[in-house]
Amino acid sequence: MGRVMKDSLVTLFGGGGFLGRQVAQALLERGARVRVAQRDLAGAMRIKPLGGLGQTQFVVADIRKPKSVALAVAGSDIVINLVGILTGDFDAVHRQGAANVAKAAADAGVKALVHVSAIGADAQSPSAYGRSKAAGEAAVKAAFPNATIIRPSIIFGPEDQFLNRFADLIRMAPVVPVIGAGTKFQPVFVTDVAGAIANAAAQPDAHGGKSYELGGPQVLSMMELNAWIAKAIGRERSLVAVPAPLASLIAAFGFLPGAPITRDQYAMLQKDNVVAPGAEGLAALGIAPTPMGAVAEGWLVRYRRHGRFAGRVKD
């Protein structure tokens, strides 16, 4: 997209995380100046070499604290909120924190706000996570009606806690218990999500006030996903679907390696995590989805028996 955001100042909440670093890179490639705002800036410093002189800024901010959010947003042209948690006080982060960011963006007169939510955001969700994400979307729209809402499915990439987590479990266990075996996912590549977010931020006239659901080109059940990973890392394993009553017990006590560690995470597995029929997604944001097979084996190779040298020598 060339330098379509040249000299725009983008404040990126959560910019030092797994997704955030990719979004920062996408923004820098489009010519933006990026201000990374988060509580702990240690991880964010990896972004600094990606930009030119003066193209990156760093500020300590906690989205739960309105004053720190307002200071981080001051002078921005665009604001992007990536902050999310999988355990902890969902309401404080996903609803109130999102509201703080949206209010600060509105007060500062920024021209675009992109809020990253999740597929599964639903006021009637069986999980507190899903309900809090829905409440966050509502709070953002109330404060900044022209915000763009981005709802990704499970995001995969070299540093993810999804494919890597299962690959590590499959590598170690001869028999792999699979919780939520029938639950469907539509894994989406982190670089694709980052590009979509950057494009939405660059074109508020086209994307402002809209919601997008981002999924990759494949829909896989949890069982199919584990089987795909096992094949990708060259490990023949017995995959066993865990019956629902036992899975619920495991979730309550968290005593199985790789299992959901909270009841809420298990509740999230009660619904498929796929793009809704008719929802606009990556294509509407100018991104062609990347299949897992095209990229994931490049980093999953480390889980093979002989790492990157597996399979190269034949008798």
Side-chain angles (χ1 to χ4, degrees):
M1 292 197 54
R3 310 287 284 179
V4 296
M5 302 177 78
K6 183 169 174 56
D7 295 330
S8 292
L9 176 58
V10 184
T11 293
L12 187 58
F13 287 94
F18 162 60
L19 173 59
R21 290 191 292 272
Q22 295 286 335
V23 174
Q25 184 168 341
L27 293 168
L28 292 168
E29 289 171 352
R30 287 159 174 76
R33 292 177 294 135
V34 177
R35 176 188 289 161
V36 176
Q38 61 186 53
R39 286 190 297 165
D40 179 7
L41 292 177
M45 291 305 165
R46 293 167 62 181
I47 294 168
K48 197 171 182 66
L50 301 177
L53 185 64
Q55 202 180 0
T56 55
Q57 304 174 17
F58 302 89
V59 59
V60 175
D62 185 338
I63 66 168
R64 299 171 300 177
K65 299 177 180 178
K67 286 185 179 179
S68 76
V69 173
L71 288 171
V73 166
S76 302
D77 300 297
I78 298 165
V79 172
I80 300 173
N81 180 26
L82 305 175
V83 181
I85 57 175
L86 290 174
T87 59
D89 191 341
F90 294 133
D91 186 73
V93 175
H94 295 160
R95 183 189 64 81
Q96 191 55 57
N100 291 339
V101 171
K103 288 172 185 173
D107 291 345
V110 307
K111 64 183 181 182
L113 170 64
V114 178
H115 174 72
V116 177
S117 181
I119 287 180
D122 182 353
Q124 306 302 318
S125 172
S127 75
Y129 173 90
R131 295 191 298 273
S132 70
K133 283 290 191 180
E137 291 185 11
V140 167
K141 291 174 184 175
F144 200 110
N146 204 44
T148 303
I149 306 294
I150 303 288
R151 297 183 190 131
S153 183
I154 298 295
I155 301 173
F156 70 90
E159 299 173 345
D160 69 36
Q161 293 299 312
F162 186 62
L163 295 187
N164 285 300
R165 178 184 181 186
F166 291 121
D168 196 41
L169 177 62
I170 290 167
R171 176 183 62 175
M172 295 188 299
V175 177
V176 181
V178 181
I179 289 178
T183 304
K184 292 182 172 60
F185 298 89
Q186 198 167 346
V188 59
F189 188 35
V190 65
T191 302
D192 295 343
V193 176
I197 291 168
N199 288 352
Q203 300 174 294
D205 290 345
H207 305 298
K210 295 182 179 180
S211 295
Y212 297 93
E213 298 202 352
L214 309 187
Q218 297 163 282
V219 174
L220 298 169
S221 71
M222 183 69 87
M223 182 64 81
E224 291 168 337
L225 187 64
N226 275 270
W228 185 92
I229 295 169
K231 184 177 180 181
I233 65 174
R235 307 273 185 169
E236 291 187 11
R237 293 291 185 261
S238 295
L239 304 176
V240 180
V242 178
L246 179 57
S248 182
L249 186 65
I250 289 168
F253 294 100
F255 57 74
L256 185 69
I261 57 171
T262 68
R263 289 181 185 273
D264 199 70
Q265 288 172 332
Y266 180 64
M268 288 165 60
L269 290 174
Q270 304 312 301
K271 293 186 70 173
D272 291 338
N273 196 278
V274 299
V275 173
E280 287 192 296
L282 288 173
L285 290 164
I287 302 293
T290 304
M292 283 194 302
V295 289
E297 292 187 26
W299 69 82
L300 290 178
V301 66
R302 66 179 180 269
Y303 298 103
R304 284 179 169 268
R305 184 163 281 103
H306 302 293
R308 65 181 65 255
F309 301 103
R312 289 192 180 181
V313 179
K314 303 288 185 184
D315 291 333

